[in-house]
Amino acid sequence: MVFKPFTHLARQSLGKTLTHGYAQSVVAATQSSYASSTTPFGSFSTHAASKFNKHSSSQFHNTFQHPSGTKASSGRQDSVPDTSRGDGGLAAYYEAWQKQQRNHGSGKEWKQFQFPLRIGWNAPIALADSKGIDKDNALLRPDALLERSSLDRAYSTSAVDDIKKAEDVIAEAAAVSEVDEAIAKEISTSQPRVLSSSPIPGISATSIPSGTGSSGIAPSDTYVSGPQRSNTTSSSPHSLPLTDVTPPTSHSLTPTDGISHLQKTGHYAEIPAVFESILIRGIQPSITDYNGLLAAATVLPAAQYHVVSKALNIYTDMLHRRVAPDAAFYTALLELLIRRAIEVYQTKIAMNVKRSRYGSSTPDSSFLLPSDESEYAILAADDALRHAITVFDAAISSSQIKALPSDVYGLLISACALYGYDEDMIRIHTHMEENQVIPLASMFPPMIEAFARSEDLRTAMRCYDGYRTLAIQHDAGEEVLMGRYDYSVYAAVIKSYMKCGKSEAGNRFIKGIMESFDNGTEEGKARLDLARDIIVTEGLIQYQIDVHQYADALHLANTWSLTQSGRDKALAHICSQAADYGDKPTAIKAYRSIRAIPTNMSVTALSMMAMHIRYGELSEACNYWSVSIGLPHEGVSLIEPTTMYTVAVITEGRIEEGLTHAREAFARIRTSATTAAAREQIKEKIDEVIELFGKILGLPQSKLSPQAVMNLLGAMTENNGLVSPVSEQLLAGLGAPEIATLDRHDTVLALTIEASLISNGAFLQDVAHVARFEHLLNVVMQQGVTLDEMTLEIVERTLEQVENQRPGLIAKWRNAHKVAELSPHAPVLSRAASSLAVNATLSPAVTFDPYAGTTDHRGSSIILDVLEKTPSRRSVNLDEALSRFRNMRRIGRHPRYVVYARLINVAALEGRADTIFDLLGTARQDVPLQSQYPLVREGWSSILDSMIGACLTVGNRATASEFHQELLQLGSTPSANTFGLYITTLKESAQTLDEANEALKIFCRAKQEGVEPTSFLYNALIGKLGKARRIEDAYFYFSEMQRCGLRPTSVTYGTMINALCRVSDERTAETLFDEMENMSNYKPRPAPYNSVMQYFQTTKRDGRKVLEYYTRMLSNKIQPTMHTYKLLIDTYATLEPINMPAAQGVLDTIRASGQRPEAVHYASLIHAKGCVLHDLAGARTTFDEALANPEIRPYACLYQAMFESIVANHHAEGIEGMLENMAARRVELTAYIANTVIHGWATTENISKAQSLYQRMGMTKREPSTYEAMARAFLAVNDRQHAREVVDEMLSRGYPAPVTRKVQALLEHAGN
């Protein structure tokens, strides 16, 4: 097991408290402490991120120091002489003079003593050219200037109470300016000038005033680059003697140019240092400097609320210094403030959803985690939008700025609309129009909805009319609108109608919009589908959700002809909203109506889980939890549902199960983080959740098993630290009896944690720690486990620490450790001692496994059990098993060989080709093939055999052959079941080969390679032979199977009965059927009954026999399948006597069984009405009824039945319309539909349309029946030449002779 250093394991509980202490602005370091403490910082100090400042009169975070007040680095602290006593460095000078006198000169060359230089900064260009200079040490700390606060995300609600209003910005700026002038005069009269040895290019050295005295920059706070601090000679290019006068220097680059250059080149981290040096030298910053500093504040990594606070501080300082912002500055500042305001709005909405979904059910409806409460309080106090409006008013009142960019207007108007600032929204929009600024299209939907909220429908429609006018002009090529949001505008208008009680007008509006898109073209249909999805979902459905009418929203989703994806997405949204609101019936109905898996399905499943937990239905919640785990998530979004589900399971008394689910989910959440900051945030959240678990598990009614204790401790260590005091409470429950039940891995983990706690002084508070440590150490020594180096180091250190309390323990440990080192096969963190046992009857060389010491046998059994759970949830089971597998490998363990093989098989069944090869690569890494060990060879034989089967399952036969060859080189062969897969997957490999002959070749190869056939291999072979109507061969291998001692299964009998029915051998089929029912190992299955029923229904046309076998099926308590019910409908509706009411009643029978009728059942009714009763109108009614049913997906079988009815009733003119209907619903054109349509057009001698459809099919989709239909069509119009070409193409594809012979006979008969 791998641990990070355990010095931090005993982490204290979540100390998410707010750091108080005022964070000065970028430029405040140059102001006096008096000025900073007595002058308010402006109205922008009311911003949420600035409200938590205590205006100390004496404490500054100098830009050359950390906020804590310490030096930026220890190296810097050592290298800067201490001049804090105010002697200007004379003490150091005197000490150096005395040292030289003692050495009597030493004959060395005289050197100029270097006094501590107060201010210094190397320009980036100079640094780049200087050799031997560490750039990171030579520059000011890049984040020092902009890091004005140690304020972290607040998790303490008390911080919110510190919010106070400040004075007006202009009054404050005037007051500060007066103080600044007084300070400047004092500086000029009282302080000498201190020269920098490395001035900013373009600044004369004589023009730089000193930075001491009342300026607030103490000598100890100054900084000089590394070479300037060293004791170099006077000839060094990096040192200058201090004199009163230094000739001015001239450079081509001014400080303002330097900041501009850094901004253009993207060196934002260096801009604060340049700006600082400008202020220290007494230069008035220009607007270009402030623009660069604002860009740096925006770009440099920081939390958004910090960025906004810094930006406002910069803006306030500009007012202090009377620097007029330009349009670029206003634009950047406004965009920052507005985007922050919109982000706050959206975050508050998301947190409200989180609170209603996962929060408590108390009246105050608190959040699940306390940190969310504090974060929401801070967001509620955020006033970025008010600041943005203030800045906007200041910008437009400037004489230099006529108007701002379109983005600023669009964002600000949208934000005002969201917040309900209607008057400001109208005023800003008016200013935009007066200055002829091109508007953003994205601002119109929120504007329309804002007017609708105040029930001002007239203004909302005026806003829509304005957008429509601009859109028309935009279509004409005029640049009057930026972007297009037509569908969202339509949706907003519809919501406005609904909110104002004008639903009829809204419906007329929708109808007009839909008619405008329906122009009969393919492009028009696509636009109509898209428009319908957006308008209905965002307009009609969203309005019903807003007013909590979820049943009406569900009705709209089912009645409107939305696309499949649009409908499923709408249903998922309705389901999650209804579940959050507590509308349980609607939520369940909406969830069951979802056909495919939309992108928002994970949220839907979690909302359903949370709803059932709130209702106390944990068993139902478990199902939705399993579904959600198998869907993609943003990792952090799983924290609350994991917490809620785990708490519910723990409360039910299933503590170990709940903690296991939580630990697996935590691992998945951590792996989803893409940045270091995100990982840290996730870890803090998980720590908070673990602390919550500790409180719940600390209740008297909670009884923890040792395994549950270790599960939670393991979750802590995986999250990089123990959570105190939860970890101490858990360890206190581990006595000698509990430790005896732990496996080796958990024992070593407990020992490591206990040793770490003792090293951190835990034994001083609880003496039981030492006793528990001694007992765990004795258990580890008895088991003979070899510890890894890190754990060994911690144990050794702890032994030395407790030597006084446990004398002799360290000697005992070292003796035992020495004995363990002499053992060549000592287990390393082994999970099961039984896995090391060797059968005494076998040779050690035969039974030795070099990987036994790191094999997790217990974990392997758990993974296998997970994979064998409910087959209907195979995908979910696979995800759970893979999660356990990854957790196992994360701690340095691996499963048994059979687990790799089984995982590969299940992944193949789920079609996850990438996972298959990932698992193989993992196996090659964990347990590399060492052919000298028989156990390893045997294990790898099973893995390679699984790879062959997996490749066959996913349709990759070429790769399967490669693994087959590798297995043969290992001295082994594929299993019989794998050879069976070779046969059953022939259909997927190619459509034109003779599958029966290929199956026989594969069967013979299996025998040649020494494989003993199994019933699965025989069943696969018999199935292919029966499909090819080679009944004699099928009977031969059926008899051979019995001679080999293999008893036929119900699958074997079903395969044979199906084969006999294909060749109309009714008597033999019934004999085998009776034999099957009477065999001792008979397992009732519906497939043989369906085969016989289908035979009597389609071939013999004997309805009495069909019903007889259906009765026998029910008497054997076999649940009918959907195919069984289809056969019943066909029997009642197509066989004499026709009983259409009974056929319709089968649908009720399906519903009574708890199932839902499928498209195939409606297709049978359509076929019966149209082709048997020749009731085309009735068939069309049933067809329309099926498509209108939201539970029925428009499958091809519905259209096939309808086409058959059209052709049977000689209504070929209806084919075109039905084809268009099918294309509009995106139903695939199958070969069987094409056959029917070709036949229909052939009856009207419309051969051109038939040939066009045939060509549209393409060769790869044509079946033998397609060639037959097209050949018949050509022969119907006496076109033998084209019919011959069709038959020749069919023959070229290599179909079996019995298949092609029928079509060839057609051509020969026509020739005669």
Side-chain angles (χ1 to χ4, degrees):
M1 182 170 180
V2 180
F3 288 101
K4 293 190 176 181
F6 274 80
T7 56
H8 65 288
L9 267 175
R11 185 187 301 168
Q12 298 301 316
S13 62
L14 296 171
K16 296 183 174 112
T17 57
L18 185 65
T19 304
H20 295 278
Y22 187 68
Q24 276 71 21
S25 71
V26 173
V27 295
T30 61
Q31 305 295 332
S32 68
S33 61
Y34 172 80
S36 298
S37 62
T38 60
T39 307
F41 205 59
S43 64
F44 294 103
S45 63
T46 63
H47 186 268
S50 304
K51 291 170 183 176
F52 309 109
N53 300 325
K54 292 184 178 179
H55 299 274
S56 173
S57 60
S58 59
Q59 296 296 324
F60 275 86
H61 291 170
N62 189 276
T63 55
F64 300 93
Q65 290 179 315
H66 288 292
S68 61
T70 60
K71 297 296 180 187
S73 65
S74 58
R76 182 178 302 177
Q77 185 173 356
D78 296 339
S79 59
V80 177
D82 182 11
T83 60
S84 58
R85 293 169 295 178
D87 58 7
L90 292 177
Y93 176 84
Y94 178 69
E95 182 181 352
W97 179 82
Q98 283 185 324
K99 182 177 180 180
Q100 180 160 359
Q101 292 301 316
R102 286 194 300 269
N103 295 335
H104 303 289
S106 302
K108 294 184 178 179
E109 181 183 357
W110 175 86
K111 296 181 180 180
Q112 167 70 41
F113 177 77
Q114 297 297 310
F115 284 92
L117 304 181
R118 309 286 178 92
I119 301 297
W121 179 79
N122 286 336
I125 300 175
L127 278 173
D129 296 336
S130 301
K131 296 182 179 180
I133 300 175
D134 185 357
K135 180 174 181 178
D136 293 334
N137 293 330
L139 286 175
L140 293 175
R141 200 160 48 85
D143 60 337
L145 265 172
L146 293 178
E147 194 59 40
R148 287 294 138 209
S149 172
S150 59
L151 177 67
D152 262 338
R153 181 181 294 271
Y155 292 100
S156 174
T157 55
S158 62
V160 183
D161 300 331
D162 295 337
I163 301 175
K164 295 181 180 180
K165 297 294 181 182
E167 299 178 2
D168 184 74
V169 178
I170 300 176
E172 178 198 9
V176 174
S177 298
E178 294 178 2
V179 176
D180 289 346
E181 292 175 2
I183 292 173
K185 291 180 181 179
E186 180 181 356
I187 292 173
S188 63
T189 58
S190 62
Q191 294 296 328
R193 284 180 284 188
V194 180
L195 301 180
S196 170
S197 62
S198 184
I200 294 181
I203 304 299
S204 173
T206 58
S207 65
I208 303 176
S210 66
T212 60
S214 62
S215 67
I217 308 288
S220 61
D221 295 331
T222 58
Y223 177 77
V224 185
S225 61
Q228 295 166 340
R229 292 194 299 267
S230 61
N231 293 329
T232 57
T233 64
S234 59
S235 61
S236 172
H238 298 295
S239 63
L240 291 174
L242 284 176
T243 60
D244 290 337
V245 179
T246 302
T249 59
S250 177
H251 297 276
S252 59
L253 202 61
T254 65
T256 297
D257 293 337
I259 289 182
S260 178
H261 175 72
L262 291 173
Q263 183 179 358
K264 290 178 181 178
T265 56
H267 294 81
Y268 294 101
E270 301 171 7
I271 290 177
V274 182
F275 192 91
E276 181 83 2
S277 62
I278 291 175
L279 298 180
I280 292 173
R281 286 159 175 77
I283 303 174
Q284 174 77 350
S286 67
I287 183 57
T288 304
D289 300 330
Y290 279 108
N291 282 336
L293 189 62
L294 180 61
T298 306
V299 172
L300 293 180
Q304 187 68 16
Y305 43 87
H306 284 168
V307 173
V308 171
S309 178
K310 294 170 186 177
L312 291 175
N313 288 341
I314 294 171
Y315 177 57
T316 305
D317 187 74
M318 294 179 67
L319 302 181
H320 289 172
R321 299 180 185 278
R322 296 189 177 90
V323 177
D326 60 2
F329 185 91
Y330 276 127
T331 299
L333 180 59
L334 282 170
E335 287 190 0
L336 176 65
L337 293 173
I338 300 167
R339 293 185 190 279
R340 169 61 180 170
I342 294 175
E343 178 190 357
V344 168
Y345 180 85
Q346 295 171 343
T347 305
K348 286 171 63 178
I349 291 178
M351 294 191 72
N352 282 326
V353 172
K354 186 191 299 184
R355 176 166 53 186
S356 64
R357 184 174 298 160
Y358 307 118
S360 65
S361 56
T362 57
D364 58 351
S365 185
S366 59
F367 287 95
L368 183 62
L369 300 177
S371 61
D372 291 334
E373 292 280 2
S374 300
E375 182 177 0
Y376 189 82
I378 292 176
L379 293 174
D382 189 276
D383 47 11
L385 183 56
R386 274 300 172 197
H387 290 324
I389 295 173
T390 302
V391 173
F392 175 82
D393 291 339
I396 62 176
S397 63
S398 172
S399 59
Q400 300 178 357
I401 300 174
K402 181 181 179 182
L404 294 168
S406 299
D407 290 344
V408 173
Y409 286 102
L411 289 172
L412 189 53
I413 290 172
S414 298
C416 290
L418 294 175
Y419 278 80
Y421 296 172
D422 292 355
E423 293 182 1
D424 293 312
M425 176 184 70
I426 296 171
R427 179 170 57 84
I428 296 167
H429 184 267
T430 302
H431 186 272
M432 181 190 70
E433 288 187 330
E434 290 174 351
N435 289 276
Q436 298 181 350
V437 178
I438 299 177
L440 291 182
S442 59
M443 73 182 189
F444 285 93
M447 282 182 66
I448 295 172
E449 293 192 33
F451 291 125
R453 278 196 299 267
S454 58
E455 297 185 357
D456 188 357
L457 182 60
R458 178 175 298 178
T459 308
M461 294 308 298
R462 285 175 55 194
C463 185
Y464 165 70
D465 292 337
Y467 176 84
R468 183 179 60 181
T469 302
L470 293 174
I472 294 172
Q473 294 175 359
H474 186 266
D475 290 338
E478 300 182 31
E479 295 184 3
V480 294
L481 191 64
M482 297 184 65
R484 294 294 289 270
Y485 276 76
D486 295 3
Y487 303 144
S488 297
V489 169
Y490 297 148
V493 171
I494 292 168
K495 288 177 67 177
S496 301
Y497 277 121
M498 298 300 174
K499 288 180 180 179
C500 297
K502 305 291 185 181
S503 57
E504 293 184 2
N507 292 330
R508 289 196 300 271
F509 180 81
I510 295 177
K511 184 178 180 181
I513 294 297
M514 297 305 173
E515 290 176 353
S516 67
F517 284 107
D518 192 5
N519 56 8
T521 64
E522 290 294 331
E523 181 181 359
K525 292 178 181 178
R527 291 183 61 194
L528 176 61
D529 289 341
L530 180 60
R532 187 187 296 113
D533 284 354
I534 296 177
I535 294 172
V536 173
T537 302
E538 297 182 4
L540 293 174
I541 294 177
Q542 187 59 48
Y543 169 74
Q544 299 297 339
I545 291 175
D546 292 342
V547 297
H548 306 301
Q549 298 298 322
Y550 302 104
D552 293 340
L554 178 60
H555 176 72
L556 289 170
N558 288 328
T559 54
W560 277 90
S561 300
L562 303 177
T563 62
Q564 185 64 57
S565 60
R567 177 181 178 275
D568 287 337
K569 188 175 180 180
L571 289 172
H573 182 55
I574 294 169
C575 177
S576 60
Q577 295 296 314
D580 293 342
Y581 189 71
D583 189 349
K584 182 179 174 182
T586 303
I588 293 175
K589 189 173 181 180
Y591 187 88
R592 291 177 177 175
S593 299
I594 299 173
R595 298 171 185 169
I597 298 181
T599 55
N600 55 342
M601 189 63 183
S602 59
V603 176
T604 304
L606 291 175
S607 63
M608 291 293 289
M609 179 208 73
M611 180 190 69
H612 283 292
I613 290 178
R614 292 195 300 271
Y615 277 97
E617 301 167 345
L618 187 57
S619 58
E620 292 292 331
C622 180
N623 296 330
Y624 291 106
W625 169 258
S626 302
V627 171
S628 65
I629 286 297
L631 297 172
H633 288 271
E634 292 183 9
V636 70
S637 66
L638 266 181
I639 291 179
E640 281 80 9
T642 299
T643 306
M644 186 181 193
Y645 180 74
T646 303
V647 169
V649 174
I650 290 175
T651 307
E652 287 281 321
R654 294 146 53 187
I655 298 176
E656 189 170 356
E657 177 187 347
L659 293 177
T660 300
H661 284 305
R663 188 175 179 181
E664 293 170 353
F666 290 159
R668 179 177 180 180
I669 293 169
R670 280 191 299 270
T671 56
S672 67
T674 56
T675 63
R679 280 191 293 272
E680 284 304 313
Q681 181 186 3
I682 287 174
K683 288 177 182 178
E684 288 182 5
K685 280 278 191 181
I686 292 176
D687 278 349
E688 189 178 5
V689 172
I690 291 175
E691 189 175 6
L692 176 63
F693 291 167
K695 292 179 181 178
I696 296 173
L697 296 174
L699 298 176
Q701 62 268 27
S702 299
K703 295 182 179 180
L704 289 179
S705 66
Q707 288 71 27
V709 169
M710 297 313 302
N711 219 343
L712 190 53
L713 288 172
M716 294 182 193
T717 57
E718 290 169 356
N719 202 47
N720 269 356
L722 300 178
V723 178
S724 179
V726 179
S727 55
E728 289 86 343
Q729 294 172 357
L730 293 174
L731 282 175
L734 290 181
E738 289 78 16
I739 293 174
T741 63
L742 300 179
D743 58 29
R744 294 187 175 194
H745 173 269
D746 287 342
T747 303
V748 173
L749 176 60
L751 173 66
T752 308
I753 294 173
E754 189 64 82
S756 174
L757 291 175
I758 292 175
S759 298
N760 291 328
F763 71 98
L764 299 176
Q765 289 82 24
D766 185 2
V767 295
H769 282 292
V770 177
R772 191 180 302 110
F773 171 75
E774 181 182 12
H775 181 71
L776 286 166
L777 192 65
N778 288 330
V779 172
V780 169
M781 288 188 291
Q782 291 172 6
Q783 293 179 349
V785 178
T786 301
L787 305 180
D788 61 79
E789 293 183 3
M790 187 172 293
T791 306
L792 191 61
E793 179 184 350
I794 297 172
V795 171
E796 291 276 1
R797 186 171 62 249
T798 307
L799 284 169
E800 295 174 357
Q801 196 169 352
V802 301
E803 175 65 18
N804 293 334
Q805 289 123 314
R806 294 293 189 272
L809 183 59
I810 189 169
K812 181 180 179 181
W813 161 253
R814 288 174 178 170
N815 290 334
H817 183 57
K818 183 180 295 184
V819 173
E821 287 179 344
L822 297 176
S823 176
H825 305 306
V828 180
L829 300 182
S830 176
R831 273 190 174 271
S834 60
S835 66
L836 302 178
V838 178
N839 192 330
T841 61
L842 296 177
S843 168
V846 175
T847 59
F848 177 73
D849 183 1
Y851 308 113
T854 53
T855 303
D856 188 344
H857 292 269
R858 178 188 172 191
S860 300
S861 300
I862 293 175
I863 292 176
L864 292 174
D865 291 340
V866 169
L867 292 174
E868 297 300 328
K869 288 196 299 188
T870 311
S872 60
R873 296 174 52 207
R874 187 168 55 201
S875 179
V876 176
N877 296 341
L878 176 60
D879 289 335
E880 182 181 352
L882 288 174
S883 177
R884 292 180 179 274
F885 172 74
R886 296 187 187 101
N887 290 338
M888 182 189 298
R889 296 188 69 244
R890 193 174 291 114
I891 60 175
R893 313 279 289 169
H894 62 78
R896 292 187 289 147
Y897 302 98
V898 66
V899 174
Y900 291 101
R902 184 63 183 142
L903 284 170
I904 290 170
N905 286 334
V906 178
L909 293 175
E910 287 300 306
R912 304 186 187 181
D914 293 337
T915 304
I916 294 169
F917 290 96
D918 289 343
L919 288 168
L920 177 65
T922 303
R924 294 192 190 278
Q925 179 182 352
D926 294 346
V927 285
L929 175 60
Q930 299 185 49
S931 56
Q932 66 270 29
Y933 299 110
L935 280 180
V936 179
R937 288 200 307 271
E938 182 181 351
W940 268 99
S941 295
S942 65
I943 294 175
L944 292 175
D945 182 63
S946 297
M947 283 302 301
I948 298 172
C951 291
L952 292 172
T953 303
V954 298
N956 194 344
R957 295 181 76 87
T959 308
S961 299
E962 295 175 5
F963 286 118
H964 193 150
Q965 189 61 32
E966 183 178 353
L967 187 58
L968 293 176
Q969 292 173 358
L970 192 61
S972 184
T973 59
S975 63
N977 288 351
T978 301
F979 276 104
L981 283 175
Y982 268 112
I983 295 175
T984 57
T985 56
L986 283 171
K987 181 67 176 178
E988 286 76 20
S989 64
Q991 294 184 351
T992 58
L993 53 81
D994 189 339
E995 294 178 17
N997 283 334
E998 289 294 325
L1000 283 172
K1001 292 177 183 178
I1002 294 170
F1003 186 84
C1004 293
R1005 180 181 178 183
K1007 285 190 172 182
Q1008 291 171 0
E1009 292 183 3
V1011 176
E1012 186 174 347
T1014 61
S1015 58
F1016 177 77
L1017 180 56
Y1018 274 111
N1019 292 343
L1021 175 62
I1022 293 171
K1024 291 298 181 182
L1025 293 173
K1027 185 177 179 181
R1029 294 177 171 80
R1030 295 173 59 170
I1031 193 61
E1032 294 181 358
D1033 292 335
Y1035 227 111
F1036 171 83
Y1037 287 104
F1038 178 77
S1039 302
E1040 180 183 276
M1041 178 181 179
Q1042 294 174 310
R1043 290 195 301 269
C1044 293
L1046 293 174
R1047 300 178 63 180
T1049 64
S1050 57
V1051 176
T1052 312
Y1053 278 106
T1055 305
M1056 277 301 302
I1057 291 169
N1058 185 49
L1060 290 168
C1061 289
R1062 284 177 177 270
V1063 295
S1064 301
D1065 192 347
E1066 170 187 344
R1067 184 174 181 179
T1068 308
E1070 289 189 288
T1071 301
L1072 284 179
F1073 198 97
D1074 295 335
E1075 183 181 328
M1076 176 190 69
E1077 287 187 326
N1078 294 325
M1079 67 180 185
S1080 58
N1081 63 336
Y1082 173 62
K1083 293 182 180 180
R1085 294 177 63 256
Y1089 292 89
N1090 289 341
S1091 296
V1092 176
M1093 289 171 63
Q1094 184 170 348
Y1095 167 72
F1096 282 110
Q1097 193 271 323
T1098 58
T1099 304
K1100 300 298 291 184
R1101 311 290 293 170
D1102 189 345
R1104 182 184 60 83
K1105 296 288 287 186
V1106 174
L1107 297 178
E1108 176 187 334
Y1109 278 95
Y1110 176 70
T1111 303
R1112 290 173 67 174
M1113 183 180 188
L1114 296 179
S1115 64
N1116 284 319
K1117 299 180 179 180
I1118 300 175
Q1119 175 65 39
T1121 64
M1122 291 292 108
H1123 184 57
T1124 309
Y1125 290 122
K1126 176 191 180 301
L1127 294 173
L1128 277 180
I1129 294 175
D1130 291 338
T1131 300
Y1132 287 128
T1134 63
L1135 301 183
E1136 296 293 337
I1138 303 296
N1139 190 350
M1140 192 58 67
Q1144 294 278 5
V1146 175
L1147 301 181
D1148 297 330
T1149 304
I1150 297 173
R1151 297 187 183 99
S1153 66
Q1155 304 176 84
R1156 293 181 296 184
E1158 296 178 349
V1160 67
H1161 303 122
Y1162 284 94
S1164 293
L1165 291 173
I1166 295 169
H1167 176 83
K1169 292 179 179 180
C1171 300
V1172 178
L1173 301 180
H1174 294 283
D1175 181 7
L1176 183 59
R1180 184 56 189 256
T1181 301
T1182 305
F1183 176 82
D1184 294 336
E1185 177 187 344
L1187 292 183
N1189 190 340
E1191 297 179 350
I1192 303 300
R1193 188 173 180 179
Y1195 281 105
C1197 60
L1198 287 171
Y1199 286 93
Q1200 181 179 341
M1202 197 61 216
F1203 278 119
E1204 290 171 352
S1205 300
I1206 291 173
V1207 173
N1209 287 274
H1210 307 289
H1211 189 68
E1213 58 270 19
I1215 292 178
E1216 289 283 358
M1218 191 58 59
L1219 284 173
E1220 293 175 358
N1221 187 306
M1222 187 172 70
R1225 295 182 180 273
R1226 296 180 177 86
V1227 178
E1228 183 182 4
L1229 177 65
T1230 65
Y1232 302 103
I1233 294 177
N1235 299 345
T1236 304
V1237 174
I1238 290 172
H1239 174 64
W1241 273 324
T1243 57
T1244 60
E1245 296 186 355
N1246 195 341
I1247 197 63
S1248 60
K1249 289 186 177 181
Q1251 189 174 10
S1252 175
L1253 185 65
Y1254 175 83
Q1255 297 294 338
R1256 175 181 165 188
M1257 286 292 297
M1259 181 182 292
T1260 57
K1261 292 185 178 181
R1262 294 170 189 160
E1263 294 280 353
S1265 57
T1266 310
Y1267 292 107
E1268 180 181 352
M1270 197 64 229
R1272 287 182 181 274
F1274 280 126
L1275 292 176
V1277 293
N1278 296 320
D1279 190 351
R1280 295 188 70 258
Q1281 177 62 33
H1282 282 94
R1284 166 62 67 183
E1285 292 175 1
V1286 170
V1287 174
D1288 290 343
E1289 180 183 316
M1290 179 184 181
L1291 295 174
S1292 68
R1293 298 192 62 187
Y1295 288 110
V1299 176
T1300 59
R1301 192 175 299 123
K1302 179 180 179 181
V1303 183
Q1304 287 180 300
L1306 283 175
L1307 196 61
E1308 294 171 358
H1309 179 73
N1312 294 332

